[in-house]
Amino acid sequence: MKHQFVRKMVLRVRHDFPYLSMRQAVVGKQEIIRCPLDTATDDIAKRTASLLKVVRRDEKGLPHDVKAITHLLKGSINTEVNGGAPEVIQTFLAAGVVCVDKDAMPMAPAIQAEKQTELRTTLVQFLNVALTVLTISRDLFRRTNHHHRSVPSASAAGLSSTTITSPTNSATSSSTSSSNNYHPSEDADVLQLAPLQEEFEKAFGKIVAVLAASYADEPDDVAALRAAAAFKLGLTV
């Protein structure tokens, strides 16, 4: 990670897209090289953007895909391919670390401090959004578990699968239909993922602790994050 540079090529055309023609001649180009510290900041920002989509759906009252959220949290909070946020913090924010610029030369202290501040801000934003998604995920698992326990099968409820057309029995007919449309296997599949929630919350707490330890004096935004984690998830960080 500390040696990961990213080269970006920006191409300019004569007219803004969308345009009448799908093909335009390139009139200019610019090459941008992101140093490892910048690349780490970009990666955390990208993870934040992915998590924000879940938050936006929740704010609009749209339904969630629990499996998709679990997959997203696994890739954002409880990463296995690389160290994720903890590795970023230890690599670029540890005391005495010297970062390199786009030319692989040691950064000037003032520039490094500025970029480290940007990374810290991005990490705090990431963790705040992740905390919200963890809260959403926990609530989804709780509701799924409640639904799985409270909705009986048609036979257990003593309901007939025969369609009832009598107006006086319309309520019974509605209950039968609702029960017949319920698929316990769907909830069971979701509940199999429930143990991962605890892993995600522990991993989240670890990231917050590692970030807090990287400061000589803990700032207010990190203290507020710790308090929010304790209030929403009961985590002692």
Side-chain angles (χ1 to χ4, degrees), residues 118-218:
E118 181 182 358
L119 175 58
R120 291 182 189 276
T121 300
T122 304
L123 281 165
V124 172
Q125 293 173 345
F126 163 74
L127 290 170
N128 275 302
V129 176
L131 175 59
T132 302
V133 176
L134 281 170
T135 304
I136 293 171
S137 177
R138 176 187 276 198
D139 183 60
L140 287 172
F141 280 124
R142 182 183 294 112
R143 281 187 286 166
T144 301
N145 185 48
H146 175 73
H147 186 248
H148 185 67
R149 292 173 179 271
S150 63
V151 179
S153 64
S155 58
L159 299 174
S160 172
S161 59
T162 303
T163 303
I164 302 174
T165 58
S166 172
T168 58
N169 292 329
S170 59
T172 305
S173 177
S174 176
S175 297
T176 303
S177 175
S178 175
S179 181
N180 287 339
N181 289 333
Y182 173 64
H183 301 286
S185 60
E186 295 179 1
D187 281 355
D189 290 342
V190 171
L191 292 176
Q192 286 182 351
L193 301 174
L196 291 175
Q197 177 72 20
E198 184 177 356
E199 292 184 21
F200 296 155
E201 292 180 7
K202 288 181 179 179
F204 174 83
K206 178 182 177 181
I207 298 173
V208 175
V210 172
L211 178 61
S214 71
Y215 290 91
D217 296 307
E218 183 176 290

Side-chain angles (χ1 to χ4, degrees), residues 52-95:
L52 265 175
K53 294 179 181 179
V54 178
V55 178
R56 297 290 179 258
R57 287 185 63 86
D58 191 70
E59 291 174 345
K60 295 178 181 178
L62 298 175
H64 292 291
D65 184 338
V66 181
K67 294 181 180 180
I69 292 178
T70 300
H71 180 74
L72 181 60
L73 286 171
K74 189 174 183 64
S76 301
I77 300 295
N78 196 23
T79 55
E80 295 180 352
V81 177
N82 54 58
E87 183 179 348
V88 168
I89 296 169
Q90 294 169 357
T91 301
F92 299 106
L93 300 179

